[in-house]
Amino acid sequence: MALLNILCYPDPRLHTVAQPVAEVDARIRQLIRDMAETMYAAPGIGLAATQVNVHQRVMVIDVSDTRDQLQAFINPELTETSAQTKPGEEGCLSVPGIYDTVERSERIRLRALNEEGKAVEIDANGLLAVCIQHEVDHLNGKVFVDYLSALKRMRIKTKMKKRAHAR
């Protein structure tokens, strides 16, 4: 297993739309293991392949307090989103130290493949629903700050660029 480099906003590669995975093979399973290790080390509760500069539709999530309930989703697709939305504070491993309020659907249904390549469908609410929507956005080339005002985005972009130059 290996820790992967997480792209930081405003890296333009974060806006790349990920391509579907044609076959769930050993390479994809290794990617999932590496992404999980990277997510846990960061530490975070979700990571999309786009964030580690792999532009395939793969994401890992673990919203458990015990950090031992990893879920991997390949070619995830939101098939239902509730009309009821709820604002919540979000952060992102690609935008470290920045948190802001984003409006998300309260309940969702997700269809995807698991690590074995088998079709799965789950209904989610709460933190899991938020995390799934956040990671699917990444696979679609969208970062949570894209939901914020242009002024807030500009301030975040400036702050992130200053941090990058300070390193």
Side-chain angles (χ1 to χ4, degrees), residues 1-161:
M1 298 208 303
L3 286 179
L4 304 171
N5 183 44
I6 298 173
L7 300 177
C8 280
Y9 183 82
D11 192 309
R13 294 171 291 182
L14 288 168
H15 294 290
T16 304
V17 176
Q19 298 302 305
V21 171
E23 180 186 1
V24 180
D25 55 14
R27 184 183 63 80
I28 294 297
R29 284 188 281 278
Q30 184 62 52
L31 174 63
I32 289 168
R33 286 191 295 275
D34 291 345
M35 286 174 59
E37 182 179 356
T38 303
M39 176 189 72
Y40 288 131
I45 59 171
L47 187 67
T50 302
Q51 293 176 269
V52 293
N53 201 28
V54 175
H55 302 287
Q56 292 202 277
R57 298 189 73 79
V58 177
M59 61 189 205
V60 295
I61 292 175
D62 186 345
V63 296
S64 71
D65 290 334
T66 51
R67 315 277 291 147
D68 62 355
Q69 295 174 33
L70 181 71
Q71 299 180 75
F73 300 109
I74 301 159
N75 297 336
E77 179 186 349
L78 290 171
T79 58
E80 287 181 36
T81 55
S82 68
Q84 300 86 8
T85 61
K86 185 177 182 180
E89 188 175 75
E90 288 188 30
C92 180
L93 295 177
S94 290
V95 195
I98 304 294
Y99 300 90
D100 213 315
T101 302
V102 176
E103 191 90 15
R104 298 279 188 187
S105 292
E106 286 187 10
R107 288 180 309 288
I108 58 106
R109 174 169 283 159
L110 180 80
R111 181 185 306 135
L113 300 175
N114 66 15
E115 267 184 271
E116 289 81 46
K118 293 189 171 87
V120 295
E121 197 165 37
I122 66 163
D123 292 312
N125 58 26
L127 182 58
L128 180 58
V130 169
C131 192
I132 287 171
Q133 291 171 84
H134 180 107
E135 300 311 330
V136 167
D137 275 353
H138 275 301
L139 298 177
N140 292 331
K142 192 167 189 172
V143 182
F144 91 97
V145 297
D146 294 335
Y147 289 100
L148 307 178
S149 70
L151 178 62
K152 280 187 177 182
R153 264 195 323 277
M154 186 56 65
R155 286 181 177 158
I156 291 167
K157 199 176 282 189
T158 301
K159 185 182 278 190
M160 298 303 291
K161 284 181 179 177

